[in-house]
Amino acid sequence: MSTASYTARRAVGVKRPASVVLTVLATLLGVLGLGALTPAQAAPAHASPASAGAAAGTGLHISDGRLVEGNGNDFIMRGVNHAHTWYPGETQSLADIKATGANTVRVVLSDGYRWSKNGPDDVASVIAQCKANRLICVLEVHDTTGYGEDSAAGTLDHAADYWIGLKDVLDGQEDYIIINIGNEPWGNTDPAGWTAPTTAAIKKLRAAGFAHTIMVDAPNWGQDWQNVMRDNAQAVYDADTTGNLLFSIHMYSVYNTAQKVTDYLNTFVDAGLPLVIGEFGGPADQYGDPDEDTMMSEAQRLGLGWIAWSWSGNTDPILDLTIGFDPARLSTWGERIFHGADGIAQTSREATVFGGPAEEDTEAPTAPGTPAASAVTATSATLTWAASSDNVAVTGYDVVRVNGTAETVVASSATTSVTVTGLTADTAYSFAVYARDAAGNRSARSAAVGVTTDEAPTTPAGSCTVGYKVVGQWPGGFQGEITIRNTGSAAIDGWTLGFDFADGQTITNMWGGTPTQSGGSVSVAPASYTATIAPNGTVTVGFTGSQNGSNTVPAAFTLSGAACAAA
């Protein structure tokens, strides 16, 4: 696949031929369910745990089945994948990722087998930028994706040679980087073939003198739904003479129930084997609906790391955390990862190698100043406040809506300003702010500010058109796109789109707007970046939905209560 055609919807079969997809999906219907083990598998996959603290720690290393820093502190990844090799000009992304509160970035590289090779100077620059932005850097070769099933994929041995060619760049960076040998290095064809080349690549890197923590991805396009990595993990771990080996599972639509997620993660934890969720998705697609809530909550409970896919640039934007690499334009998926329950804002802690606080820091930041509101519209408001201070450093702020004694987090920011979106027109709100530091200490709450949103603007009939199209459709689901055009002479500032589904369709995920649905009636409020429509300008809202065989296009649309012509 070329960069332009690459799609990161990492579900079962998404990066393989259609004929294989059908076979795989049929098989999955019969065999999925990681908790349904054979009697021989009912106990933990391996009788003996991974060797506790098998290697002396130089930099990031494994101890007692956990990833720790050189000083012995646990390091729990809370990060983002970034497609550097396809977007080498998006160098600002690392700083933007750090500003979300992330402590890790997994960087897509190419060994030259399939895409343009990232050479030593480029990789050295990436590492320097990660360090400058106080991010732990997981470097991965993407050319191996789907080997054995995708004829264009490269081998793990080729990837190992690439890393050896970069040894001068990587040596001395053990505190800051992890080497992920190859992305999803085996497809669904004979996944048992994963074990031998994975072991050989590990041994090759160790023989070349690498002391870094090495990460290995699972077969089955990273999802290990046939449990090859799980069942062979102890043998592969034991083949690493340093003990500094980290297993990576990619969780997409295979993991569509809490039971499947918890069974897989707990098998590794019970066996004392180190594991991270190296990629995962949440939005539903034609292959299923991943249970990202359980992935994130269970990882938090078990102290396991995760790295969400992906910052931006997917051909299909369903898994873009940001729109157009713009950190001010978070998608629904991005809001979930950065500001949702067990997300980055709540759970990320910076690596102590960057001089951050150790676990014994118990001093909370001072309370932020009372927020001031500006740029209030019918659906959004910008809040600004005076900074907090801390004995080490303030790492971010959480904005809460206050309703009596109840509080709801509505936004998070690494700076002293944020725009709260998705508000209801002509409604009174009360907002306050908390500060937090790298150790997770939270300040006292600031005083609250009252904000009343503007009345919804009226859009004269005939000054808008709406185009609706089904972009793709599959059994049980579809993807739609809605384009709103302002045909009037004045800008539209804030709007509400209304329409009705006739066949019981349900919106499951949306970008560019926030949907509210009651039965077949749908109301869409704009995102901050789609709220204003210039004269003769357009905005586009995309979504995925469920359907049960019939998928009639809505017959009519309104914008802020006024009828719009069909485009």
Side-chain angles (χ1 to χ4, degrees):
M1 273 173 277
S2 69
T3 301
S5 65
Y6 181 75
T7 300
R9 291 178 302 175
R10 300 312 222 349
V12 174
V14 73
K15 293 183 288 184
R16 29 245 189 250
S19 59
V20 177
V21 172
L22 296 175
T23 302
V24 172
L25 289 176
T27 304
L28 286 177
L29 293 174
V31 305
L32 270 181
L34 299 177
L37 305 181
T38 65
Q41 296 170 329
H46 310 286
S48 60
S51 302
T58 300
L60 291 160
H61 62 283
I62 304 300
S63 177
D64 296 320
R66 301 184 65 77
L67 178 66
V68 300
E69 295 188 69
N71 61 8
N73 283 355
D74 271 3
F75 181 69
I76 301 174
M77 296 183 193
R78 290 290 180 265
V80 172
N81 283 271
H82 171 52
H84 171 72
T85 198
W86 302 309
Y87 300 98
E90 295 294 340
T91 55
Q92 176 63 29
S93 291
L94 296 180
D96 292 338
I97 289 168
K98 177 61 180 181
T100 69
N103 63 20
T104 303
V105 62
R106 181 171 177 259
V107 180
V108 176
L109 300 175
S110 172
D111 63 6
Y113 189 88
R114 187 169 187 176
W115 293 288
S116 297
K117 183 176 181 178
N118 297 101
D121 291 345
D122 187 24
V123 175
S125 175
V126 167
I127 295 171
Q129 290 177 67
C130 285
K131 292 167 68 175
N133 287 291
R134 303 164 75 92
L135 289 164
I136 295 301
C137 199
V138 179
L139 303 174
E140 62 102 341
V141 163
H142 216 79
D143 307 68
T144 57
T145 305
Y147 180 81
E149 188 171 345
D150 190 333
S151 60
T155 65
L156 281 171
D157 186 64
H158 190 272
D161 287 339
Y162 172 73
W163 296 121
I164 291 170
L166 291 172
K167 192 168 188 298
D168 288 346
V169 171
L170 304 176
D171 275 352
Q173 304 298 331
E174 291 84 355
D175 279 315
Y176 305 100
I177 68 169
I178 291 172
I179 299 172
N180 189 178
I181 304 178
N183 181 70
E184 301 179 3
W186 210 274
N188 291 322
T189 302
D190 187 28
W194 168 90
T195 305
T198 298
T199 302
I202 294 165
K203 290 182 175 180
K204 191 170 191 175
L205 292 179
R206 295 305 184 204
F210 283 88
H212 307 69
T213 293
I214 291 174
M215 183 188 293
V216 292
D217 283 7
N220 295 128
W221 300 86
Q223 298 200 78
D224 202 31
W225 60 268
Q226 291 176 291
N227 297 325
V228 170
M229 184 174 81
R230 187 199 70 176
D231 294 345
N232 291 278
Q234 186 70 57
V236 174
Y237 184 90
D238 290 343
D240 184 352
T241 55
T242 74
N244 292 325
L245 187 69
L246 180 62
F247 295 94
S248 172
I249 182 67
H250 292 184
M251 289 187 159
Y252 292 96
S253 58
V254 164
Y255 296 92
N256 58 358
T257 69
Q259 191 69 52
K260 293 172 186 175
V261 174
T262 56
D263 282 353
Y264 196 91
L265 298 182
N266 280 279
T267 296
F268 277 78
V269 171
D270 291 345
L273 290 163
L275 182 71
V276 65
I277 305 175
E279 288 183 20
F280 71 105
D285 61 19
Q286 62 263 49
Y287 303 101
D289 187 1
D291 186 358
E292 73 278 9
D293 291 341
T294 300
M295 296 175 203
M296 295 167 71
S297 63
E298 191 70 357
Q300 182 66 13
R301 186 183 73 82
L302 296 171
L304 301 180
W306 52 252
I307 313 174
W309 186 276
S310 72
W311 183 244
S312 199
N314 297 298
T315 302
D316 182 342
I318 192 171
L319 285 177
D320 278 357
L321 295 163
T322 64
I323 308 301
F325 295 93
D326 183 352
R329 300 168 61 195
L330 295 184
S331 66
T332 303
W333 176 226
E335 289 286 356
R336 174 69 187 92
I337 288 298
F338 298 123
H339 302 148
D342 300 307
I344 282 175
Q346 288 186 6
T347 66
S348 178
R349 302 291 179 265
E350 184 177 272
T352 61
V353 71
F354 296 116
E359 291 181 2
E360 61 267 20
D361 175 24
T362 59
E363 183 175 334
T366 61
T370 305
S374 62
V376 178
T377 71
T379 59
S380 67
T382 297
L383 303 176
T384 306
W385 55 91
S388 299
S389 60
D390 186 63
N391 63 316
V392 179
V394 174
T395 58
Y397 298 89
D398 297 320
V399 177
V400 296
R401 179 186 179 187
V402 181
N403 187 6
T405 59
E407 294 181 356
T408 305
V409 177
V410 294
S412 297
S413 175
T415 67
T416 57
S417 180
V418 73
T419 299
V420 180
T421 61
L423 305 180
T424 302
D426 197 21
T427 301
Y429 292 89
S430 180
F431 296 110
V433 185
Y434 289 93
R436 49 186 159 76
D437 63 21
N441 299 310
R442 197 184 198 199
S443 74
R445 195 178 80 188
S446 74
V449 63
V451 177
T452 299
T453 52
D454 294 343
E455 293 183 1
T458 57
T459 304
S463 64
C464 56
T465 63
V466 175
Y468 179 102
K469 66 179 179 180
V470 174
V471 177
Q473 189 163 286
W474 52 91
F478 71 106
Q479 180 176 336
E481 184 177 276
I482 304 170
T483 301
I484 306 168
R485 179 178 294 278
N486 177 7
T487 59
S489 58
I492 296 173
D493 184 14
W495 48 265
T496 301
L497 177 70
F499 60 91
D500 294 316
F501 282 129
D503 301 318
Q505 302 100 314
T506 301
I507 292 176
T508 56
N509 183 58
M510 178 172 281
W511 50 98
T514 302
T516 301
Q517 184 165 352
S518 177
S521 297
V522 179
S523 176
V524 179
S528 59
Y529 58 91
T530 58
T532 301
I533 313 176
N536 203 36
T538 63
V539 295
T540 299
V541 175
F543 67 93
T544 56
S546 62
Q547 49 90 9
N548 295 309
S550 297
N551 193 14
T552 307
V553 171
F557 296 88
T558 61
L559 200 66
S560 301
C564 291

